Amino acid sequence: MGAGRVHRAGRHGLAAEHPRPAAPRRLGLGADGIDTLVGCELEFTLFDADGTMGGPWSAYGLGPVLADAGSGFLRDLATLAETTGLPLDQAHAEYGTRQFEISLGPTDPLTAADNVVLARILIGRAAERHGFRPSFSPLSSTEANAANGAHQHFSFTRDGASLFSGGTGPHGIRPEGGAAIAGLLRRLPEFIGFHAGSLLSGARLLPGHWSGAHACWGLENREAAVRFCAATAGNPHGASVELKVVDASANPYLSIAAMLWAAHEGIRDELALPVEVTGDPAALPAGAAVPLLPNEQSEVLAVLGASTAAVDFAGEDIMTALLAVRGHEVEVYGAASAAALAERFRFTWSM
């Protein structure tokens, strides 16, 4: 693969591989004395080898883990993770039928992106042994509530002290931590194209889907694009910020870098922490309405293509390649229904 290639078009035109971009510009976080950790989550749906799915499902329950459809697969996945050094912190049954989620422990940003790729390989190998095929698609099926995310968490520390706890702001957030959240939210409407990377992403990025469709932040708010996780006894890694809009059709290297770049820009610009949204943003009165993020792919690409910040972050070569590939996807497949797209590209991001 040539240096600088963000995606290589897959057999059906959608991006099927996620090689690293060419050597990125320095984010500057380390130069500014800020240490960064990133940890990711991956949701995926298990299909039978023939592409079908079925059987009873207990969302968030122990039953799927103990059942034949889950227990052997998860046991093998845990063994593979231990053998390869993948920091598998948690695995559980998710909301959608035959849907699981894994959480990966925090590490440096580049290794975190490597871990996403490794996890998808290991999930594919473990699933194959048990007669399954995993789908990481943002929309695996329109019939099974199977919308898959690839959430990203990050934490910042300075001189060993977290920027997201121990302060006087909401939930202990320090001023620089608040500025990081503000920077992330400021660029998110422009940068959504780095995080939600396909025609299927819009079918997931909807209100009421816990996908973070609203451009706001809030403590443990699953409807907010930026979910804040405070330092509590149930959060052993400490306070972190979760970007919920990401799905597996995005390049993890580019998405993580864009997230951190926007957060760092907010710190450098000394932005103020926006007002927190504590409930469902869709339930707010009209005067306090929270805008939705772009989710229609033509609009996403138009906003991204017009963003000078995106060029400053990624550079002209990456932007040209990304917009060309994604624009082609819209031209070829933009008129297809969500159901047709889900079926055709169900395993495009599987390994």
Side-chain angles (χ1 to χ4, degrees), residues 133-146:
R133 297 184 69 187
S135 172
F136 298 91
S137 172
L139 186 67
S140 292
S141 169
T142 56
E143 300 176 355
N145 299 316

Side-chain angles (χ1 to χ4, degrees), residues 26-310:
R26 291 190 64 185
L27 293 173
L29 287 162
D32 282 357
I34 298 173
D35 294 317
T36 303
L37 291 176
V38 175
C40 300
E41 301 169 357
L42 283 172
E43 295 173 339
F44 57 94
T45 306
L46 287 183
F47 287 80
D48 293 329
D50 61 1
T52 61
M53 61 190 302
W57 191 257
S58 176
Y60 309 113
L62 187 59
V65 177
L66 298 177
D68 289 341
S71 61
F73 158 71
L74 290 177
R75 186 167 52 246
D76 278 359
L77 177 59
T79 300
L80 287 171
E82 183 176 7
T83 300
T84 59
L86 180 72
L88 180 61
D89 273 7
Q90 179 178 306
H92 68 272
E94 255 291 345
Y95 179 79
T97 303
R98 297 278 286 274
Q99 185 184 40
F100 287 96
E101 180 180 30
I102 65 168
S103 300
L104 303 175
T107 183
D108 68 272
L110 184 58
T111 301
D114 287 343
N115 285 342
V116 169
V117 177
L118 176 59
R120 286 163 60 179
I121 293 172
L122 298 185
I123 290 168
R125 300 292 76 76
E128 185 178 25
R129 293 177 184 177
H130 293 272
F132 301 129
R133 297 184 69 187
S135 172
F136 298 91
S137 172
L139 186 67
S140 292
S141 169
T142 56
E143 300 176 355
N145 299 316
N148 296 311
H151 318 140
Q152 296 169 176
H153 291 252
F154 71 93
S155 62
F156 289 157
T157 58
R158 184 188 292 279
D159 298 326
S162 171
L163 302 190
F164 298 121
S165 62
T168 59
H171 317 297
I173 298 173
R174 299 177 188 268
E176 283 189 310
I181 293 173
L184 186 56
L185 285 170
R186 176 174 66 176
R187 293 302 179 198
L188 199 50
E190 301 170 59
F191 282 17
I192 193 68
F194 292 130
H195 305 302
S198 75
L199 284 167
L200 284 166
S201 297
R204 171 184 173 267
L205 200 60
L206 297 171
H209 284 59
W210 288 6
S211 59
H214 295 270
C216 61
W217 79 278
L219 176 69
E220 299 294 353
N221 191 336
R222 289 175 168 81
E223 287 295 324
V226 177
R227 174 191 178 201
F228 184 72
C229 303
T232 65
N235 190 3
H237 294 301
S240 67
V241 172
E242 178 187 14
L243 184 59
K244 293 191 63 63
V245 300
V246 188
D247 64 59
S249 68
N251 181 315
Y253 300 94
L254 196 59
S255 179
I256 289 173
M259 174 181 71
L260 298 179
W261 188 93
H264 184 221
E265 185 189 46
I267 292 175
R268 286 193 164 178
D269 290 348
E270 300 181 343
L271 299 182
L273 177 67
V275 175
E276 179 185 8
V277 175
T278 58
D280 184 355
L284 293 174
V290 176
L292 292 170
L293 292 165
N295 71 347
E296 200 280 320
Q297 197 66 190
S298 294
E299 181 185 1
V300 167
L301 294 181
V303 173
L304 182 63
S307 172
T308 57

